[in-house]
Amino acid sequence: MLLKLLDGSSIEVENSLNGHDVASKISTSLAKNALAYKLNGKLFDLYHTLPEEGDFEIITSKSKEAFELLNHSTAHLLAQAVVSLFKDAKLGIGPAIEDGFYYDIDFGSYVLKEEDLAKIEAKMKELSKENERIIRKEVSKEEALEMFKDNPYKVELINELEGTISTYTQGDFTDLCMGPHVPSTGFIKHFKLDTIAGAYWRGNSKNKQLTRIYGISCFSKEELEHIEHIKEEAKKRDHRKLGKELGLFMLSEYGPGFPFFLPNGLILRRQIENWWYEIHQKHGYKLITTPVILSKELWLTSGHWDHYKQNMYTTKVDDRDFAIKPMNCPGALVVYNSELHSYKDLPLRLGELGLVHRHEASGALNGLFRVRCFTQDDAHIFCTRDQLQSEIEKLLKLYDEIYSTFGLDYSIVLSTKPESDYIGDDAIWEQSEKILHDACVATNKELTINPGDGAFYGPKLDFKLKDCMGRIWQCGTIQLDMNLPERFDCTYINANGEKERPVMLHRAILGSFERFIGIITEHFGGAFPLWIAPNQINILPVNNNFHLDYANKLKERLENEGFRVTLDASEEKLGYRMRNSILKKTPYTLVIGDKEKENNTVTYRKFGDEKQISLSVDEFIAKIHKEINNKEFLIDPKTI
């Protein structure tokens, strides 16, 4: 059996060997550090017998797959500890997630408390020291049903499976799982159980609510401590906490998942929206709005009625079925078809800040991060096939321009055709995936492949943003769609006077406006750059009897310059008012006393800096205009 290694070399091995055997043949140190192996792009347990020859890679703690592998295994260790401590507990599911793992568990009548986590952690450490091998076993459906007959959650999962089913055993504990896992529990040493939450079984509010235990696992103590520090920092920056403190938004039980924007939040939002319109007009977009509610016939044509109805809000109007739009693309197609088009009109870039509604599970709602109505910064680009490459290249430059404005780095993931529940021919999918891939290569953009995660109508490039704390957020997307123009019979007249089908690009950069505002609230810790800050300048007269008149005139002048200004003339002491201005993260706080009144100057203190600096009013105005025009950061987000 021939295996091709990462360095381009090859190794000939016997058919009966497993991943650890191969690692041992390569080097003793590699075998010692091996966790699993990858063969032809698929991950296997380290001791799984090689199923075929091909491209071979040993997974170690340095591999990109290692974090997920470790955390999935730690979820099993958590489950083992729980069932040994709580005899009535019934296990649901326990996957690895982007920042750790969780396990959903039915504790029966017992209500798990935060203090129970320490007890569970202690048991996990005890089990880890036993260093039990984690052993995979394949069983029939009948055997699996017998093994888990006392657990209705596992039985439900098993009944949905076909063919051979796999289980994993460590010591006296066995769980249903596809795997893979680390070789033994001894690899699981540095972990922390984080929080407890409620979660409906399988995300359905009609099902029983289970207890979800979140945690994180790392390969070193230092890495775990670093992540715990980031989590503590994230708690301080929580957009729900800052949203309340800074008057940005609120949520109400009258509309779960439907956020209310408060005055400060609306100012922040409007500044970003106005800039969005400005930058898109500069890049040749035509701006539109489309109706929030449209008839069933439209959604049948688009495919949403068959593929997305469970997430749509529907109603009847004049005995016809209608749906509130979950996406903006069908409306853009209607706009395109409202008039004839020539090849000279293309590319046609239609931009829309469109309000959409999606019926998310109540257990998944999370501040502005997961809501049921949000504004998508969509654009739909209609072009010829020859224009695709250049259009995607232009888009990539636009993404750079917008993300850099907020100091956000990003990576790109190409999501390919789903295994099922998709529309269109396989050949069209393959061609579309190649075009997206080649566009990234042509612009020197690195990308990774996420097999099977494309939209039901086409492949996509997903943009993963990294904030100042290193957290990853899925925001932007470019989706290449040759299917919907076909379904909507979109055409243009080509240079030969014949009808031809355009190609459609679906594109969002910020994604959900609501979610993006939540992200940058945490990224900037509420200390927004001056150009979007709800209140830019706060004026504090030292003594109202002597300085208020000058302060009012100064406020009027600054407002005439277009700045957002408040004046705190309360009777509180100056120190108290200064502290309050800082707590509200006001970019510039001006102290007005005798010297400022006499010299027509201002003395300012910038947020994050204890220095007080005096300037003439004209110099200060010029400084603020420059900072706004250049969209400068108020302070390095990492230092807030």
Side-chain angles (χ1 to χ4, degrees), residues 20 22-24 26-35 46 56 58-60:
H20 185 266
V22 177
S24 299
I26 298 171
S27 80
T28 304
S29 63
L30 184 62
K32 182 180 178 181
N33 294 307
L35 301 172
L46 185 62
F56 180 87
I58 285 292
I59 303 301
T60 70

Side-chain angles (χ1 to χ4, degrees), residues 289-342:
T289 61
T290 59
V292 171
I293 182 169
L294 292 161
S295 72
K296 174 183 176 181
E297 291 80 10
L298 178 75
W299 304 113
L300 281 170
T301 303
S302 69
H304 287 89
W305 196 267
D306 295 326
H307 294 266
Y308 206 75
K309 186 182 176 185
Q310 72 277 9
N311 293 104
M312 296 167 67
Y313 295 100
T314 60
T315 188
K316 280 190 177 290
V317 179
D318 298 332
D319 295 325
R320 291 174 65 196
D321 288 319
F322 279 72
I324 299 175
K325 64 177 178 180
M327 299 176 187
N328 296 305
C329 34
L333 285 152
V334 172
V335 170
Y336 180 87
N337 279 345
S338 66
E339 57 183 326
L340 296 175
H341 296 282
S342 158

Side-chain angles (χ1 to χ4, degrees), residues 82-91 105-110 150-153 208:
V82 165
V83 296
S84 68
L85 294 170
F86 302 89
K87 302 304 180 185
D88 295 331
K90 288 182 170 54
L91 303 174
I105 303 167
D106 183 350
F107 282 89
S109 59
Y110 184 77
D150 296 326
N151 186 327
Y153 306 108
K208 184 172 182 180

Side-chain angles (χ1 to χ4, degrees), residues 46-101:
L46 185 62
Y47 290 94
H48 192 286
T49 302
L50 297 170
E52 59 191 9
E53 62 182 12
D55 295 332
F56 180 87
E57 177 187 354
I58 285 292
I59 303 301
T60 70
S61 62
K62 305 299 183 186
S63 305
K64 64 180 182 180
E65 298 86 354
F67 183 79
E68 181 178 348
L69 190 71
L70 178 66
N71 276 273
H72 190 187
S73 301
T74 311
H76 276 233
L77 189 67
L78 163 64
Q80 183 182 8
V82 165
V83 296
S84 68
L85 294 170
F86 302 89
K87 302 304 180 185
D88 295 331
K90 288 182 170 54
L91 303 174
I93 57 173
I97 54 178
E98 197 165 46
D99 57 354
F101 65 89

Side-chain angles (χ1 to χ4, degrees), residues 266-281:
L266 189 60
I267 292 171
L268 169 71
R269 179 184 179 128
R270 285 286 182 256
Q271 300 311 307
I272 300 173
E273 287 178 347
N274 292 341
W275 169 71
W276 188 94
Y277 282 124
E278 180 183 313
I279 201 170
H280 278 75
Q281 287 177 315

